[in-house]
């Protein structure tokens, strides 16, 4: 008897994340989903520590979760493409190994895509947390348009679910030097260039681990890479020449002292 294909394939790339408690939180948040017709493909991206052993101890005996490997570290885009090669589901969901999500997350995203065939992609609002607990929330535009890409990615990458056929139509994630930290931004712009549309549920269904000082530590070379991704993406979306100033945004922001940047941003992600 042929085994029925799962509706959802969850894709995760992981590298040097051996903390048992962190990984256990992520694994249990998926196991506790109210929507149970899923498989989870985790790609270890050449970890040099005990990450593999820790994951294997957590998923032992659960046939729905598969651990695959990159022999060497290749980056998130390549790892997710590797996962995609094994995916059997009609829907592709993202998940990061150090995050968590509400039990109803997958159910609500599948329901949305089934009830709204004009949309290929659905993300969610998120709660932001670090080792001290939840420190903020983030919502993205409900119905992102092309111009929303000028400021930044209008989707929170690990919260998304996308129809597999749309992801394959743009050949998955683009693996390049400049997409090392912006593989999601690049992907979403290429999807919109093909005419695909996305939506963001305004409910916080995902817990996104983000250090409050993460932006402060962003290396300038990654800001240069982001500028290159913006240049290519904005040209695809017909946002040039207006978009030139936004291409320079990551470079300019990288020169602003962090306390000033926090003030300009108005602590918009924090609870009031």
């Amino acid at each position: 008897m042929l085994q029925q294909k799962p509706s959802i394939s969850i894709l995760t790339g992981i590298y040097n994340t051996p903390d048992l408690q962190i990984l256990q939180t992520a694994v249990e948040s998926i196991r506790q989903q109210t929507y149970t017709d899923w498989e989870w493909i985790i790609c270890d991206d050449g970890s040099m520590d005990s990450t593999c052993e820790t994951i294997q101890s957590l998923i032992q005996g659960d046939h729905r979760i598969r651990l695959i490997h990159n022999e060497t570290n290749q980056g998130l885009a390549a790892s997710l493409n590797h996962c995609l090669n094994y995916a059997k589901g009609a829907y592709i969901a993202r998940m990061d190994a150090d995050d968590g999500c509400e039990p109803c997350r997958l159910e609500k995203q599948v329901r949305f895509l089934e009830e709204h065939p004009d949309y290929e992609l659905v993300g969610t609002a998120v709660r932001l947390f670090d080792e001290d607990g939840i420190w903020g929330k983030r919502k993205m535009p409900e119905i992102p348009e092309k111009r929303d890409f000028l400021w930044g990615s209008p989707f929170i990458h690990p919260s998304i679910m996308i129809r597999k056929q749309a992801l394959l139509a743009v050949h998955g994630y683009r693996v390049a030097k400049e997409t090392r930290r912006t593989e999601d931004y690049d992907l979403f712009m290429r999807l919109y260039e093909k005419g695909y549309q996305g939506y963001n549920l305004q409910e916080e269904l995902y817990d996104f681990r983000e250090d409050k000082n993460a932006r402060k530590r962003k290396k300038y070379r990654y800001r240069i890479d982001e500028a290159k991704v913006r240049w290519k993406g904005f040209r695809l979306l017909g946002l040039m020449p207006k978009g030139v100033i936004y291409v320079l945004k990551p470079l300019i922001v990288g020169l602003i002292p962090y306390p000033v940047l926090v003030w300009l941003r108005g602590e918009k992600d924090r609870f009031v």
Side-chain angles (χ1 to χ4, degrees), residues 141-160:
E142 188 171 2
I143 306 177
E145 300 179 3
K146 288 183 178 180
R147 64 174 179 268
D148 290 311
F149 286 94
L150 289 170
W151 188 251
S153 173
F155 299 97
I156 299 171
H157 187 202
S159 80
I160 69 163

Side-chain angles (χ1 to χ4, degrees), residues 29 153 168 221 232:
S29 75
S153 173
L168 293 177
R221 68 174 180 269
K232 291 181 179 179

Side-chain angles (χ1 to χ4, degrees), residues 182-198:
T182 54
E183 71 288 321
D184 54 335
Y185 197 7
D186 176 84
L187 171 68
F188 300 143
M189 287 192 285
R190 289 187 292 114
L191 286 165
Y192 266 63
E193 188 270 333
K194 293 292 185 182
Y196 297 122
Q197 296 293 314

Side-chain angles (χ1 to χ4, degrees), residues 95-109:
M95 178 74 185
D96 279 347
D98 56 354
D99 292 345
C101 50
E102 288 292 308
C104 59
R105 175 208 166 181
L106 297 180
E107 180 181 355
K108 289 190 174 184
Q109 288 183 294

Side-chain angles (χ1 to χ4, degrees), residues 44-61:
D44 174 66
D45 192 19
S47 293
M48 305 295 289
D49 54 19
S50 61
T51 296
C52 280
E53 291 78 6
T54 304
I55 297 175
Q56 286 171 338
S57 70
L58 290 171
I59 68 174
Q60 187 175 10

Side-chain angles (χ1 to χ4, degrees), residues 3-12 38-44 63-71 74 77-93 164 167-168 172:
Q3 185 175 4
Q4 185 177 1
K5 293 181 180 180
S7 297
I8 302 170
S9 295
I10 305 164
L11 311 186
T12 297
W38 52 263
E39 65 174 355
W40 190 2
I41 306 164
I42 303 172
C43 180
D44 174 66
H63 68 278
R64 300 170 299 175
I65 308 176
R66 179 173 186 172
L67 179 61
I68 61 176
H69 306 272
N70 292 335
E71 291 186 6
Q74 299 181 33
S79 297
L80 294 178
N81 284 342
H82 192 181
C83 293
L84 185 59
N85 289 335
Y86 292 91
K88 300 182 180 71
Y91 302 112
I92 301 296
K164 183 181 179 182
L167 189 54
L168 293 177

